[in-house]
Amino acid sequence: MAVPLVSPAVRGLGYLAALLTTLSFFPQALKTLRSGDTSAISLRMYGLFTAGIALWAIYGFYTGDGPLIVANLVTLVPAGIVLERKLQSLRAPRR
Amino acid sequence: MAVPLVSPAVRGLGYLAALLTTLSFFPQALKTLRSGDTSAISLRMYGLFTAGIALWAIYGFYTGDGPLIVANLVTLVPAGIVLERKLQSLRAPRR
């Protein structure tokens, strides 16, 4: 694992970026989970998004990039749950 | 600018992650721009998201991380436009 020489200030910038994008993601995911309504969600786009986050986390691990690992692992949890609910809704028999 | 020692394969993984999350972002932004309807968008969340992307791009620059720079600069364009439309809609007199 290659750990780049990054100053604490720059690393702090990374964690701030991680905080903002992760924070901005949660309300939408929580709203979807509470309402159970995934009709507005495109399975294809959400699948791409969730796969992308997983890859970013793996990439962060290989580059030894803390903010990348934290931001994407944290976001992966609600993203994965919403994706799973979307899949469930597509499998459920139409009433 | 600290350029970490990262193998081409790992860098490729980063660009793939960048492609997936950037791809997954565009349709929603395009849909919003075409419809001009930003009512479903929370100004606070979108502001956080856009600020986060900008910080990720700056962070990518300081850590010499190509995928981070590309993914976030590319995403910043539609995100900035949608944010600007949202601000406009809030300033427009209510009919």
Side-chain angles (χ1 to χ4, degrees):
Chain A
M1 193 173 79
V3 182
L5 313 169
V6 175
S7 74
V10 169
R11 195 63 82 193
L13 180 72
Y15 279 111
L16 181 57
L19 183 69
L20 293 185
T21 47
T22 305
L23 267 182
S24 73
F25 174 78
F26 263 78
Q28 191 66 50
L30 290 180
K31 199 170 136 191
T32 303
L33 293 176
R34 255 191 237 119
S35 70
D37 174 12
T38 59
S39 56
I41 289 178
S42 145
L43 177 63
R44 206 162 31 131
M45 289 308 122
Y46 218 88
L48 270 179
F49 177 68
T50 309
I53 298 178
L55 286 184
W56 275 117
I58 298 167
Y59 175 67
F61 174 77
Y62 279 111
T63 55
D65 192 319
L68 260 184
I69 297 169
V70 170
N72 290 286
L73 281 188
V74 169
T75 306
L76 196 56
V77 174
I81 294 172
V82 168
L83 186 61
E84 193 268 328
R85 287 285 164 77
K86 179 68 183 178
L87 289 169
Q88 249 184 21
S89 73
L90 296 175
R91 280 196 299 259
R94 303 248 159 196
R95 272 179 226 119
Chain B
M1 193 172 80
V3 183
L5 312 169
V6 175
S7 73
V10 169
R11 195 63 83 191
L13 180 72
Y15 280 110
L16 181 58
L19 184 69
L20 293 186
T21 47
T22 306
L23 267 183
S24 73
F25 174 77
F26 264 77
Q28 191 64 50
L30 290 179
K31 199 169 134 192
T32 303
L33 294 176
R34 256 193 236 117
S35 68
D37 174 14
T38 59
S39 54
I41 289 178
S42 146
L43 177 63
R44 204 163 32 133
M45 288 308 121
Y46 218 87
L48 270 180
F49 178 67
T50 309
I53 297 178
L55 286 184
W56 275 118
I58 298 167
Y59 175 68
F61 174 76
Y62 278 112
T63 54
D65 191 319
L68 260 184
I69 298 170
V70 170
N72 290 285
L73 282 187
V74 168
T75 305
L76 196 56
V77 174
I81 296 172
V82 168
L83 187 62
E84 194 267 329
R85 287 288 164 76
K86 179 69 183 178
L87 289 168
Q88 249 184 24
S89 72
L90 296 176
R91 280 194 301 260
R94 303 258 154 174
R95 274 181 224 116

